[in-house]
Amino acid sequence: MGDGAKLSVGFLGLGIMGEAMARNLLKSGLFASVTVWNRTLSKCQALVGEGAKSAETPAAVVGSCDVTFAMLADPDAALAAVFGDNGVLAGITPGKGYVDMSTVDEATSTRIGEAVTAKGGKFVEGPVSGSKKPAIDGQLIIMGAGDKELYDLVQPAFDVMGKKSFYLGSTGAAARMKLVVNMVMGAMMGAFCEGMALADKAGLEQSALLEILGLGAMANPMFALKGPAIMARNYPPAFPLKHQQKDLRLALALGDSLGQPLPVAAAANEVYKAARGAGKGDEDFAAVYEATVNKK
Amino acid sequence: MGDGAKLSVGFLGLGIMGEAMARNLLKSGLFASVTVWNRTLSKCQALVGEGAKSAETPAAVVGSCDVTFAMLADPDAALAAVFGDNGVLAGITPGKGYVDMSTVDEATSTRIGEAVTAKGGKFVEGPVSGSKKPAIDGQLIIMGAGDKELYDLVQPAFDVMGKKSFYLGSTGAAARMKLVVNMVMGAMMGAFCEGMALADKAGLEQSALLEILGLGAMANPMFALKGPAIMARNYPPAFPLKHQQKDLRLALALGDSLGQPLPVAAAANEVYKAARGAGKGDEDFAAVYEATVNKK
Amino acid sequence: MGDGAKLSVGFLGLGIMGEAMARNLLKSGLFASVTVWNRTLSKCQALVGEGAKSAETPAAVVGSCDVTFAMLADPDAALAAVFGDNGVLAGITPGKGYVDMSTVDEATSTRIGEAVTAKGGKFVEGPVSGSKKPAIDGQLIIMGAGDKELYDLVQPAFDVMGKKSFYLGSTGAAARMKLVVNMVMGAMMGAFCEGMALADKAGLEQSALLEILGLGAMANPMFALKGPAIMARNYPPAFPLKHQQKDLRLALALGDSLGQPLPVAAAANEVYKAARGAGKGDEDFAAVYEATVNKK
Amino acid sequence: MGDGAKLSVGFLGLGIMGEAMARNLLKSGLFASVTVWNRTLSKCQALVGEGAKSAETPAAVVGSCDVTFAMLADPDAALAAVFGDNGVLAGITPGKGYVDMSTVDEATSTRIGEAVTAKGGKFVEGPVSGSKKPAIDGQLIIMGAGDKELYDLVQPAFDVMGKKSFYLGSTGAAARMKLVVNMVMGAMMGAFCEGMALADKAGLEQSALLEILGLGAMANPMFALKGPAIMARNYPPAFPLKHQQKDLRLALALGDSLGQPLPVAAAANEVYKAARGAGKGDEDFAAVYEATVNKK
């Protein structure tokens, strides 16, 4: 991958997010080639029809590309793609880059990074903030950490997939940042639901509270989006409650290991646990409202 | 105050907020006259120089106007202006309107409303959200409650002073709404400070967290404004911490009276109490950060 | 009430506790006379049959006795007995003593004390710990505060009614001590219920947990008494949950006024509020277990 | 190990607790022999002088005894004794029993149990409640789980070492019970410290609070023992704060996995975290008082 020459890039994982991200790389015209792989190979056809190459295994993608990106469903899928038969490790040779944009915990990310590095490869973790629409629009927020040289090299790819990327430090830093962000989100939603519940009990229109909040210093897209869901008490899952609660748990564990008390997040976590225990785990995390209101 | 005729209006309390609000009423040209009063009468001179009248007592203002607005410092000042010698009550006659926009608790507001009503007057409570700049710009958010006829009558005045006003129900509803809003604010700030503290302990740049939060679904003016203050650990008071803690306490008491558990707000309240106990009561409420970080 | 002479004592309020306490005073033989009064006068007959005198009003009791004790149902009853027509104040003359053993808040106690003192009387507040059986057995714990001279004078009476009495300082101190004690009790019960709930969820016998707790450093009569009630999920009221929750609220308010954070008690309070909101207010405070276990 | 014949027993780990427990087994005269081992072998001499045998490795002890007990410092020591060179596993043959009385987490206990069972042995976990003095006096409380036949077989040994033992179910149940007990203890101590702090702030003598608590329904040895330490603000470690906090964390994690909210314990845990973060981790867990009182 010499100066001036275009990079050849790979992409593992063509779910809702991954397919959109790979398509943006392809459409940019910045790369010599885009080679895709998915566990269900038929998912590759649309992109191949648009000009991508495909390969039958992660090892084959990595072997034929300078840098390979991955967007896999969860830590297990991320680990399988790397350590499984014909996985990423089988294709890594010195100098190649691997950029895992899946949302995984710090331990998983560290394990993958160490294995890639041990074979002479370079590793960047790059979890994102944002879901389907920002992925399509190339408007994700990318939290990057790991090998700084590789991070700089793939900056043009990050610019295509996201509206902003951050280099946060050595491997693990991006996973930690995502936990911090999601902890704030979980506690903030918990506070919001208490406000909605109190308004209702106090004889105030929840819609008025939403409007007032929307006009002041606290105005934010999340309240605007989730407020109506709470009023309708209907929570189609964008970010499942059980995942929000897991992130609160992991953030609290991080605080524990660092001696940082987090009483507000801890109190919120208990409400999410109550909601999960009441069967709301697969609904959107705004369903924590159901554990906030008093059952008769 | 017949159809078509312009109202004559009064204004009690020319503090930072009140003077700006009275000036906006004056400049609008919508009213037959604007008569002002302040406990320190010399504060009236600037507005008189701009065309306002002044009077020496609240009773004199109320006696000479169709509707009188008030923006007083606290419940004690609000009660004194109404029940004191030559106070509002001494000027109220049947049909006159009194609109108290001070931030007072529900009990105070109810007491004032009942006294005004007992003399044949009409009463609206109208606490606002927003501080100095929105007051100057006529961009306050006005939470109104009480006499609906009077509320409708003064709508043009609210439109001049605010960007949006809400009619929330009978007297007390606006005081309750303000508590709900401030409870969400207090808990949200508590959650934010925990995120800032955890980021720092976890070796992450707080500035990166602020940027990431500013680009996502939680982006809001409060984080953008208070984040840098927290990073500088310098908290010039816009909304003093002791007032935020008082509002949390009152909101929790409201929840208590209604049987609504509020565990996230309760946990946040304890952190504010710790901050207040550590001498941060007169600093901005973002100083709750100081009680969030671990002292060595 | 000179040296050596026996005191004549009065007793206001012959409820379950009061009747037993007055009977113990009577049976002791230490007093020149015991004069009783109750709002429903017929309640006096049993004690009169045992040798007591009775009077038709609090004023009459106070007028005819050196020292009058009171054990009334709540702050309203305590205030009515003092400030009502023919109340305690009407009978107080310089030198007479009034000892209110009712459980009232500090403000109520202070108000009564000031009124008694203003008429030249002496005042002691003396709330008790313990319920029906200790009252009958003369085994109450008496928290005393106020006039030290009167406290010393009535020590023999306290020794008859209680197993131990404490002088805690000026009026209000005993009310505050009772709040502290009940706050510890409420939070301790909250912790206990969480242990019982977790044991059950974790496949452990609650009876085994009770036995183990009963053999170790945490062994206490409350766990031993309330544990079986929790296992049976049947909570006949000894100390109603709504009163426990009120005491938690008042203790938190006391901590608030003193700048003392109380996060464990605050978290417990929210669970009691949930229980109260779910209709358990009139059951025993151990019914907080019902808000601790997860509803399906 | 036939009917009527005396068992030969082994004992691994002669720390403060273990030496006392082994001595009680020896002194009982109930066993054919008592063979001891310690990582530092010289620790065996005292017991050998009193009639015990010693062996140079865990494997040798297990190989020469019907049942071997262990009381090791922590999970790492417990695992090393079993899985290390010449460890317990090397001596286990079908029918032999292994009883681990160390305090370990459920995962560790399960792992040991499975390994012992895989070699045909029988396994009981038997963590204890109580420290040095109950160990010497044979007054421990023993929480047993695992193989019921082995549990019944060693009942006489448990009776020698403890005042009471409980069979709680399959392997892991005793580890869970110990977590539940310690969670209640941690939260109860947190509540107690809040009461002590509030008393002090409210101008009440902490010694009076201790006396009053000691006379009522909450009276328990822990308050009586730790109260004076709190008053002296001196916390020589009996149960180090960092271990109490670890147990709260693990209990909360257990609750999390079971969907059981534990808001009171969670609030307490945050205070312990603050204390640990302030450098109190190695002091007694009553030092949580230092994080409860307000720092100036």
Side-chain angles (χ1 to χ4, degrees), chain B:
Chain B
M1 47 187 166
D3 297 320
K6 285 181 174 180
L7 288 177
S8 57
V9 300
F11 205 102
L12 310 180
L14 302 178
I16 293 175
M17 303 281 291
E19 181 173 347
M21 294 158 76
R23 180 170 286 117
N24 281 331
L25 292 177
L26 188 64
K27 291 196 308 189
S28 73
L30 291 173
F31 305 102
S33 61
V34 176
T35 306
V36 300
W37 170 87
N38 194 67
R39 205 175 43 158
T40 308
L41 290 172
S42 59
K43 285 280 295 173
C44 298
Q45 291 172 356
L47 285 165
V48 168
E50 298 170 33
K53 300 179 185 176
S54 73
E56 298 211 348
T57 65
V61 175
V62 171
S64 66
C65 298
D66 297 321
V67 175
T68 301
F69 297 87
M71 189 65 174
L72 298 153
D74 53 37
D76 284 346
L79 289 167
V82 172
F83 293 96
D85 287 345
N86 297 307
V88 168
L89 286 187
I92 289 284
T93 53
K96 285 187 184 289
Y98 185 60
V99 180
D100 192 348
M101 304 179 77
S102 319
T103 291
V104 302
D105 55 287
E106 185 171 356
T108 296
S109 191
T110 301
R111 203 178 140 201
I112 292 174
E114 288 174 353
V116 168
T117 308
K119 297 206 68 171
K122 294 179 176 180
F123 178 71
V124 158
E125 60 173 352
V128 304
S129 187
S131 52
K132 185 180 175 182
K133 190 163 184 327
I136 291 171
D137 298 343
Q139 294 290 307
L140 295 166
I141 302 160
I142 298 167
M143 291 165 265
D147 189 290
K148 182 65 163 63
E149 220 173 294
L150 176 58
Y151 178 87
D152 290 339
L153 183 72
V154 300
Q155 186 68 60
F158 284 165
D159 289 345
V160 162
M161 295 184 283
K163 67 176 162 187
K164 181 97 187 190
S165 60
F166 297 87
Y167 181 75
L168 297 166
S170 56
T171 303
R176 291 197 300 278
M177 181 60 89
K178 196 152 163 55
L179 276 190
V180 172
V181 168
N182 282 7
M183 181 190 83
V184 173
M185 183 166 70
M188 187 167 149
M189 175 60 84
F192 177 55
C193 286
E194 292 190 354
M196 291 290 276
L198 184 56
D200 186 50
K201 283 270 173 61
L204 302 166
E205 292 293 334
Q206 291 182 323
S207 58
L209 174 59
L210 285 185
E211 274 203 80
I212 291 167
L213 288 172
L215 290 164
M218 284 178 276
N220 66 87
M222 184 172 82
F223 287 2
L225 184 66
K226 302 300 185 185
I230 289 167
M231 288 178 66
R233 301 183 76 154
N234 183 26
Y235 314 97
F239 183 45
L241 187 140
K242 66 185 176 190
H243 292 168
Q244 172 63 78
Q245 196 264 316
K246 183 197 67 187
D247 285 353
L248 276 166
R249 179 174 70 234
L250 293 173
L252 288 165
L254 178 60
D256 197 309
S257 71
L258 298 167
Q260 174 60 51
L262 301 163
V264 176
N269 183 42
E270 296 303 315
V271 189
Y272 282 95
K273 280 165 65 177
R276 209 195 66 197
K280 305 290 177 189
D282 292 319
E283 301 187 29
D284 191 63
F285 76 116
V288 71
Y289 181 74
E290 297 299 315
T292 302
V293 292
N294 235 6
K295 297 304 165 32
K296 287 297 143 46

Side-chain angles (χ1 to χ4, degrees), chain A residues 245 249 252 255-257 259-263 266 270 273-274 276-277, chain D residues 245 249 252 255-257 259-263 266 270 273-274 276-277:
Chain A
Q245 196 264 316
R249 179 173 70 234
L252 287 165
D256 197 311
S257 71
Q260 174 59 51
L262 301 163
E270 296 304 316
K273 281 163 66 175
R276 208 195 69 197
Chain D
Q245 196 265 316
R249 179 174 69 235
L252 288 165
D256 196 311
S257 72
Q260 173 60 51
L262 301 163
E270 296 303 316
K273 281 165 65 177
R276 207 194 70 198

Side-chain angles (χ1 to χ4, degrees), chain C residues 109-127:
Chain C
S109 191
T110 300
R111 199 175 144 202
I112 291 173
E114 288 174 355
V116 167
T117 308
K119 299 207 66 172
K122 295 178 175 179
F123 178 70
V124 158
E125 61 174 351

